[in-house]
Amino acid sequence: TVMARGVSKIYHMGDEEIPALDGVDVTIRTGEYISIMGPSGSGKTTLFNVIGALIKPTEGSVFIDEIDVAQLDANELAWLRCRKIGYIFQAYNIVKVMTALENVTLPMLFAGVPADEAQDRAVEILDRVGLGDRILHTPKELSGGQQQRVAIARAFANRPAIILADEPTANLDLKTGEDIIHLMKEMNAERGVTVVCATHDHKMLDISDRIVWMEDGQIKKIADRDEV
Amino acid sequence: TVMARGVSKIYHMGDEEIPALDGVDVTIRTGEYISIMGPSGSGKTTLFNVIGALIKPTEGSVFIDEIDVAQLDANELAWLRCRKIGYIFQAYNIVKVMTALENVTLPMLFAGVPADEAQDRAVEILDRVGLGDRILHTPKELSGGQQQRVAIARAFANRPAIILADEPTANLDLKTGEDIIHLMKEMNAERGVTVVCATHDHKMLDISDRIVWMEDGQIKKIADRDEV
Ligand SMILES: Nc1ncnc2c1ncn2[C@@H]1O[C@H](COP(=O)(O)OP(=O)(O)OP(=O)(O)O)[C@@H](O)[C@H]1O
Ligand SMILES: Nc1ncnc2c1ncn2[C@@H]1O[C@H](COP(=O)(O)OP(=O)(O)OP(=O)(O)O)[C@@H](O)[C@H]1O
Ligand SMILES: [Mg+2]
Ligand SMILES: [Mg+2]
């Protein structure tokens, strides 16, 4: 389970206070596929950053499988982010000086996977997202949607228990977007990967177990798929 | 008019040749709203870069109002890119060390607009895209969709004759995306701005005069809206 309890995040700019998150409570069940929707600026990325233990909340707590992430030391946090959670960033954050193949093998090498096995798995997942003929391209030799797919492939590389996907289909056409959604649903259904997806893409609704709506840093509504 | 005639772009990687554009012919009429759709990797951004005179084609020519852009000197090209064309980049390319306000005023200052007038216009256009309360935020203090809207506002700042919008609604929710499409349609209808939009967003189809489909670096089909 991934649980956010009473999570708030306030940014300070001079005298101004910006409540990016305002009292968020949500429990994501193990193996669930949950989509988070809401207007631009409503707090989806900030919630992901808090859940993924990348930033500290101003108030409240995050529990991952009942462990309070605020109690983890640097090594434990690093393990969490490297092995347990796969993060697909909204701006991709792929390494500009590395090829697609290097970008995807890197987290596996950090996790101690032997180099040749890491390369085989990287080639397989890159092929799976339609980049089989682009593995030696660096980001500037890739289109926007291809860069996005490198970020997606990289997140799945270490077979994490939890995927945080921040708008993973934003730069993809309908068909390619459906392929990616299909891949994530398959990971979820066949391997029990918990998928948390921030998205503006209404195609995502049909395959989500639950849908969360956010607005102004708050959760307004959570619904089961069949209620929607 | 914006005309691409026999435009090809071939990238070389070692011995490999990648035909990003392969014999593209299209004439965009003055004041038209034209959408370009196609799979990720099909050549939309590359076509924009050639049309916007940011890269040279391997073969073929681009004519903007009957002027061959290959014949322009550095000053003329700079003027074209600063005053005539407004480019909304797929990756935004906004300046990270500047606020939203500074990012939007910058092209106006380059164009010789007095600083106070530039500021007034910047505030107005930022308010129009829903960022009125974010004008002093730098990119890292903005959400993905907010950064995209800074890029949009910046492109309109100098009241260009032609807007090249590369997936301008990719990171926007339905409502915000509709507001932006509405803004661009209004610029087109009321001010005669020629809008060329690369998009995966099917909401864009209803307001386009024509739609171009690309695949593998080629134009497969061009249709009028009512044929679609
Ligand atoms: N470092 C910061 N300082 C000040 N305000 C910030 C900062 N980071 C984010 N914000 C604000 O917090 C709010 C939430 O941002 P967040 O990135 O979580 O939104 P989002 O839901 O992911 O939006 P989008 O759909 O556009 O990606 C936004 O209004 C943003 O301007
Ligand atoms: N510098 C480069 N070197 C080699 N190949 C490149 C380079 N730049 C682009 N490409 C390739 O050219 C093709 C077209 O790229 P382009 O960015 O125009 O696609 P696109 O239609 O904009 O895709 P998307 O919808 O994903 O943004 C892609 O297959 C890409 O891998
Ligand atoms: Mg976001
Ligand atoms: Mg593109």
Side-chain angles (χ1 to χ4, degrees):
Chain A
T1 44
V2 176
M3 187 198 300
R5 219 170 54 189
V7 164
S8 291
K9 181 71 184 177
I10 299 178
Y11 288 109
H12 298 277
M13 289 181 60
D15 301 332
E16 200 191 348
E17 278 199 354
I18 294 165
L21 293 175
D22 183 11
V24 170
D25 292 296
V26 62
T27 299
I28 297 160
R29 305 155 194 153
T30 301
E32 180 168 27
Y33 196 122
I34 190 162
S35 284
I36 307 189
M37 306 193 97
S40 171
S42 56
K44 304 178 295 297
T45 294
T46 307
L47 180 59
F48 272 34
N49 287 338
V50 172
I51 285 177
L54 294 176
I55 67 179
K56 289 193 198 315
T58 311
E59 284 180 38
S61 308
V62 171
F63 297 86
I64 296 186
D65 291 340
E66 294 162 17
I67 294 169
D68 181 352
V69 300
Q71 308 301 328
L72 299 178
D73 66 33
N75 280 329
E76 291 165 323
L77 269 179
W79 186 90
L80 186 79
R81 292 183 202 138
C82 174
R83 307 296 306 274
K84 191 152 185 113
I85 299 176
Y87 202 146
I88 303 167
F89 294 93
Q90 187 169 4
Y92 325 145
N93 296 351
I94 51 182
V95 180
K96 290 188 167 54
V97 298
M98 290 185 176
T99 64
L101 186 63
E102 290 166 336
N103 264 287
V104 177
T105 54
L106 197 67
M108 288 189 264
L109 299 178
F110 279 148
V113 177
D116 50 355
E117 182 187 340
Q119 179 145 319
D120 289 347
R121 280 176 28 191
V123 170
E124 182 185 359
I125 184 91
L126 281 165
D127 190 57
R128 185 72 204 276
V129 299
L131 296 180
D133 60 356
R134 289 285 182 272
I135 65 177
L136 299 181
H137 287 229
T138 57
K140 72 166 178 48
E141 296 161 340
L142 291 170
S143 77
Q146 290 168 343
Q147 292 175 31
Q148 184 153 39
R149 285 180 275 159
V150 173
I152 292 165
R154 178 180 65 177
F156 282 108
N158 265 333
R159 298 173 182 157
I162 302 163
I163 286 279
L164 301 180
D166 199 348
E167 304 195 27
T169 61
N171 277 281
L172 303 176
D173 55 284
L174 208 72
K175 169 84 182 49
T176 312
E178 284 173 351
D179 292 344
I180 292 303
I181 291 170
H182 186 71
L183 168 67
M184 301 215 292
K185 188 61 186 172
E186 189 176 297
M187 290 281 166
N188 172 258
E190 294 179 13
R191 291 202 197 164
V193 177
T194 306
V195 178
V196 190
C197 191
T199 184
H200 296 307
D201 189 347
H202 287 257
K203 297 194 289 301
M204 202 63 86
L205 300 182
D206 304 330
I207 51 134
S208 305
D209 297 315
R210 283 191 295 164
I211 298 145
V212 172
W213 276 272
M214 288 188 72
E215 218 173 288
D216 298 323
Q218 300 182 337
I219 290 184
K220 292 301 186 193
K221 184 175 155 190
I222 301 181
D224 285 346
R225 176 172 67 237
D226 34 24
E227 301 173 46
V228 175
Chain B
T1 46
V2 176
M3 186 198 304
R5 219 170 54 189
V7 163
S8 292
K9 180 71 184 177
I10 299 177
Y11 288 108
H12 298 278
M13 289 182 59
D15 301 332
E16 199 190 349
E17 278 199 353
I18 294 166
L21 293 175
D22 182 11
V24 170
D25 292 296
V26 62
T27 299
I28 297 160
R29 304 156 195 154
T30 301
E32 179 168 29
Y33 196 122
I34 192 162
S35 285
I36 306 189
M37 305 193 97
S40 169
S42 57
K44 303 178 295 297
T45 294
T46 307
L47 180 60
F48 272 34
N49 287 339
V50 172
I51 285 176
L54 294 176
I55 67 177
K56 290 192 196 315
T58 312
E59 282 180 39
S61 308
V62 172
F63 297 86
I64 297 186
D65 291 338
E66 294 162 17
I67 295 170
D68 181 351
V69 300
Q71 306 302 329
L72 299 177
D73 66 33
N75 280 329
E76 291 165 324
L77 269 179
W79 186 91
L80 186 80
R81 291 183 203 140
C82 174
R83 306 296 303 275
K84 192 156 184 111
I85 298 175
Y87 202 146
I88 303 167
F89 293 94
Q90 186 167 5
Y92 324 147
N93 297 350
I94 50 182
V95 181
K96 292 189 165 56
V97 298
M98 291 185 175
T99 64
L101 187 63
E102 290 166 335
N103 263 287
V104 178
T105 54
L106 197 67
M108 288 188 267
L109 299 177
F110 280 146
V113 176
D116 50 354
E117 183 188 337
Q119 179 144 320
D120 290 346
R121 280 178 26 193
V123 170
E124 183 185 358
I125 184 91
L126 282 164
D127 189 58
R128 185 71 206 273
V129 299
L131 296 180
D133 59 356
R134 290 285 183 272
I135 64 176
L136 299 181
H137 287 230
T138 57
K140 72 166 178 50
E141 296 160 341
L142 292 170
S143 78
Q146 291 168 342
Q147 292 175 31
Q148 184 153 39
R149 286 181 274 160
V150 174
I152 292 164
R154 179 181 64 178
F156 282 108
N158 265 333
R159 299 174 181 155
I162 302 163
I163 286 279
L164 300 181
D166 198 348
E167 303 196 27
T169 60
N171 276 282
L172 303 176
D173 55 285
L174 208 73
K175 169 83 182 49
T176 312
E178 284 173 350
D179 293 342
I180 292 303
I181 292 170
H182 186 72
L183 167 67
M184 300 216 291
K185 189 60 186 169
E186 189 176 298
M187 291 282 167
N188 171 258
E190 294 179 13
R191 291 201 199 164
V193 176
T194 306
V195 178
V196 190
C197 193
T199 184
H200 296 308
D201 188 346
H202 287 258
K203 297 193 289 300
M204 203 62 86
L205 300 182
D206 303 329
I207 52 134
S208 304
D209 298 316
R210 284 192 293 164
I211 299 147
V212 172
W213 276 271
M214 288 188 71
E215 219 173 289
D216 299 322
Q218 299 181 337
I219 289 183
K220 292 300 185 193
K221 184 176 154 192
I222 301 182
D224 285 346
R225 177 173 64 237
D226 33 24
E227 300 173 47
V228 175

